[in-house]
Amino acid sequence: MAKRIAILGSTGSIGKNALRVIEALGDGYEVCALSANSSVELLSEQVKRYHPRYAAVTDESCVEKFRGLVAGIDIEVLSGPEGLERIAAVDDIDIVLTAVVGAAGLGSVLTAAENGKTIAIANKEPLVVAGQLLMRTARENGVTIVPVDSEHSAIFQALQAGRREDVKKIILTGSGGPFRGKTIEQIENASRDDALNHPVWNMGPKITVDSATMMNKALEVIEARWLFDIPVDKIEVLIHPQSVIHSMVEFVDGSIIAQMGTPDMCVPIQYALTYPARAEGIARHLQLDKLSTLTFEKPDTEVFRALKLGYDVARTGGTAAAVFNAANEAAVELFLNGRIQFLDITRLIEQTLEHHEVIPQPNLEQLLETDKAARKYVQKEVMTLS
Ligand code: NDP
Ligand code: MG
């Protein structure tokens, strides 16, 4: 029986790569559902090529246009954020690949977990906002969550080399982004284009800005904390500019298990879909004899304060990470729209966190309210900046 896959966010960077991966895997993998927010032209092309049974458009103002584009095609069109949740609950879908950007993916990933789907998780923000709740829901429903984020895929693979109680620490690697080695003065006036010019990875705009502030690594620390149920103090971040080692696990005997490969998201995407099996893939293989050096350095948390904040937030727990994530999403959008300066992103996150009173054991409703309030606070604060 073919594995039936839903891709939530199929028009994005991860989503498009996932479709290439599935196409190359051939028989045995079937695209059952796709979704976009507003890129309905691309979504309609994907529908014509991959023949899913469902397509969801979350931006309601684009649904009618999409219906026109797929007129005459036998497909169920769903709309709004509920459309994603409907897909995540469809009976005969086996794997839900979550490739939506931001906390907007929270509802659908929770629904997938409640409905016993295998989850290939790229969309890291829901894990940051509600990791405890999501992992508990997955456990209760016997759901396997396989990470797509390259570092977490590496850790997931490396952890298979030993017993959980023998793990000394997790070493999350990062390229350092476009501003590695720069001073505060040098990045104070960084433009949108500077921030979007990532040295290694070609990704969607939000995560690319997150890589420039190192917020991405901060989110990944929290993501790892929940995915692998490991205390945050056992997670170390190391800058590894060559991006050959995608992360490592150190065991108590001093053995370090690393996962290596070319920096190509098709590898972790494919692994999440074929797990526990592996298949020939479309990514270039690493040529070890062409590598001259692998270097590692400690991140500069004076310049990239978001990373240190991420650790603080992870230790605080409760609603802190929801504030951290929401303030970042709001600030990144403002930066991408030219409304604030690069360093204002981290400043706004700090201010929003300071203003927030943490709820220690929040329920879903409290997390969603916290998310909303943090976004609102950023909008208010930004007025005082201009
Ligand atoms: P993109 O911005 O390229 O794509 C995002 C996708 O989500 C698009 O299909 C977009 O639709 C859709 N979308 C946007 N806003 C909403 C919304 N409010 N509700 C529902 N769907 C929405 O992002 P990426 O592919 O880069 O990233 C996706 C996720 O994967 C993120 O959480 C990111 O952190 C994570 N990730 C990405 C990596 C990468 O290499 N890109 C690496 C590791 C993790 P539309 O096209 O219509 O806007
Ligand atoms: Mg990553």
Side-chain angles (χ1 to χ4, degrees), residues 8-17 35-40 42 58 84 98-102 104-105 122-126 148-151 201-207 210 216 219-220 265:
L8 308 182
S10 60
T11 50
S13 162
I14 293 284
K16 287 188 279 188
N17 276 324
S35 93
N37 189 42
S38 60
S39 306
V40 288
L42 177 55
T58 43
L84 295 187
T98 69
V100 162
V101 60
N123 181 205
K124 66 189 82 181
E125 293 89 349
V148 169
D149 209 348
S150 58
E151 296 78 2
W201 300 95
N202 182 9
M203 312 176 284
K206 190 263 178 183
I207 185 176
D210 287 348
N216 184 47
L219 298 175
E220 289 184 352
M265 286 309 295

Side-chain angles (χ1 to χ4, degrees), residues 232-233 308 310-317:
V232 66
D233 296 314
K308 186 178 167 301
Y311 273 96
D312 295 344
V313 157
R315 287 188 194 104
T316 304

